[in-house]
């Protein structure tokens, strides 16, 4: 463990620390951020009102739109001159959201990431290949600082130039690979195309996150790259990668063990996204975080839009920090097609059960004469193609396979979808976060 004292802190001590920090953060935003002053005044809450951790529930929520409407620095609680780094997430709608970090914030972030990497089994001296994008995205630099803090040998590969990255994997023989799960797949397919066997590399552990991925996808990546794949979670509004992390010990016992949240920094809640009521542990809902130690842009009760649940049971690894279930989906990823609610990850979980299909897929949503349609476009595997010599020769089998998929989707998700089986390499490959849905109803283009 990177910081055993804190990671295994007795929960009663942790609660005292959290309360102390919560009081400080409320005082900070009350005095420095006009939006929070206004909202807290409206609710009749002052910093002195915070007497117990349950008083968290009196605090106002924050949403992504608050950051956009106060673009760029309106929610900062530090003078811009005291900020040492800015990151931003582009998002799909309008203005980006901007976050600022003081030197202390970067220090805390490095600590959270070092803890996360250590939980995944990274050790000082390990060569760590980091393909998260470096730049305004928090993935690259966040993991980089955590890895350096831990004493790893970092290869700052960033995203893109996949063949060149594979050369680096061959030459530097890293034990650890960090990237999005969809990019890990892209790497594995490109390796296959280059005739490179996973055994010729030294990779043992993959630390994957920044987008939802199913357990089937995990199994697929592990099989293709011969590694153990672990889930890292985070979001720029709260910090970046390293808000929570699966631990190797827990994962080996149960692949659904969940991710430890570094609760001395980030205070989690699960709420019902409709009523906004706080839900008990073990109930699925929207994940909400309050920053406990941030100086640049501490947020109160930030609604992540991510669907998860909390689990306070002790973990096999001995850490006392609570676990969140791997994120099942994002609330705003939910597609409503002819009245049926559907998450891309549910489709993924079904598709990856079927032999002959590769994990490269996209969902295309359209509106035809006021009727919504879904088409699942998915590549068949090279092995299947080899059986026929070329794609055209396999038309009969392709028809049977696509009928089978249509029935599976109908039976499990209650939705009639079109299925288009594609030759290998025809679905665009991910260089970072995969684009799984093209929703032409909102103007997306292929
Ligand atoms: O994606 C930070 C990050 C970088 C996390 C590298 C992990 C690894 P944003 O770009 O602000 O930050 O996007 C945050 O991505 O609210 C989730 O919807 C999604 N997300 C992040 N990690 C996971 C994960 C980074 N492990 C948004 N599983 C979050 C599922 C994830 N979704």
């Amino acid at each position: 463990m990177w910081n055993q004292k804190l990671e295994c802190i007795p929960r009663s001590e942790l609660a005292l620390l959290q309360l102390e920090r919560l009081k400080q953060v409320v005082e900070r935003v009350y005095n420095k951020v006009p939006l929070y002053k206004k909202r807290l005044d409206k609710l009749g809450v002052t910093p002195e009102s915070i007497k117990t951790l349950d008083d968290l529930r009196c605090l106002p929520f924050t949403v992504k739109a608050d950051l956009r409407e106060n673009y760029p620095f309106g929610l900062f609680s530090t003078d811009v001159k005291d900020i040492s780094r800015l990151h931003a997430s582009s998002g799909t709608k309008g203005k980006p959201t901007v976050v600022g970090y003081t030197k202390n914030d970067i220090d805390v972030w490095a600590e959270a990431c070092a803890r996360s990497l250590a939980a995944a089994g990274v050790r000082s001296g390990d060569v760590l290949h980091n393909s998260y994008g470096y730049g305004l995205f928090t993935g690259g630099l966040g993991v980089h600082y955590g890895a350096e803090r831990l004493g790893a040998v970092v290869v700052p590969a960033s995203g893109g130039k996949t063949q060149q990255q594979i050369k680096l994997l061959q030459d530097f023989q890293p034990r650890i690979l960090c990237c999005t799960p969809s990019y890990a797949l892209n790497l594995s397919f490109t390796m296959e195309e280059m005739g490179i066997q996973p055994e010729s590399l030294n990779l043992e552990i993959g630390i994957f996150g920044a987008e939802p991925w199913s357990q089937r996808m995990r199994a697929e990546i592990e099989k293709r790259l011969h590694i153990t794949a672990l889930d890292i979670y985070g979001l720029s509004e709260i910090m970046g990668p390293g808000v929570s992390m699966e631990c190797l010990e827990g994962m080996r016992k149960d692949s659904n063990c969940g991710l430890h949240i570094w609760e001395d920094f980030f205070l989690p809640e699960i709420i019902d996204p409709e009523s906004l009521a706080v839900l008990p542990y073990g109930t699925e809902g929207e994940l909400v975080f309050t920053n406990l130690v941030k100086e640049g842009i501490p947020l109160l009760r930030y609604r992540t839009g991510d669907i998860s649940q909390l689990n306070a049971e002790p973990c096999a690894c001995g850490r006392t920090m609570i676990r969140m279930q791997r994120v099942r989906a994002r609330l705003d990823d939910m597609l409503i097609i002819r009245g049926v609610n559907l998450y891309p990850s549910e489709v993924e979980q079904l598709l990856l059960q079927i032999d002959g299909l590769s994990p490269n897929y996209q969902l295309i949503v359209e509106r035809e004469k006021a009727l919504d349609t879904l088409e699942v476009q998915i590549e068949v595997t090279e092995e299947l193609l080899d059986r026929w010599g070329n794609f055209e020769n396999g038309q009969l089998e392709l028809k049977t396979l696509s009928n089978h998929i249509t029935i599976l989707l109908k039976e499990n998700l209650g939705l009639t979808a079109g299925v288009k089986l594609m030759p290998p390499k025809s679905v665009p490959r991910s260089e970072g976060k995969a684009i799984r849905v093209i929703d032409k109803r909102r103007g997306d283009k292929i």
Side-chain angles (χ1 to χ4, degrees), residues 64 88-91 97 109 132-133 136-140 142-143 179-181 207-213 230-244 259 302-307 324-333 433:
K64 207 177 191 82
S89 102
S90 58
T97 50
W109 189 13
Y132 286 117
L136 286 174
F137 175 52
T138 51
V143 167
C179 60
T180 60
I207 298 175
F208 303 135
E211 63 187 5
W213 51 311
L230 296 161
D231 196 2
I232 184 167
Y233 169 86
L235 63 167
S236 48
E237 293 86 341
I238 290 302
M239 187 67 94
V243 171
S244 67
L259 296 81
Y302 182 70
R303 295 184 54 186
T304 63
D306 294 325
I307 304 169
M324 56 180 260
Q325 272 304 305
R326 57 194 288 114
V327 171
R328 188 164 67 78
R330 282 191 56 79
L331 280 168
D332 52 14
D333 277 351
K433 298 192 190 223

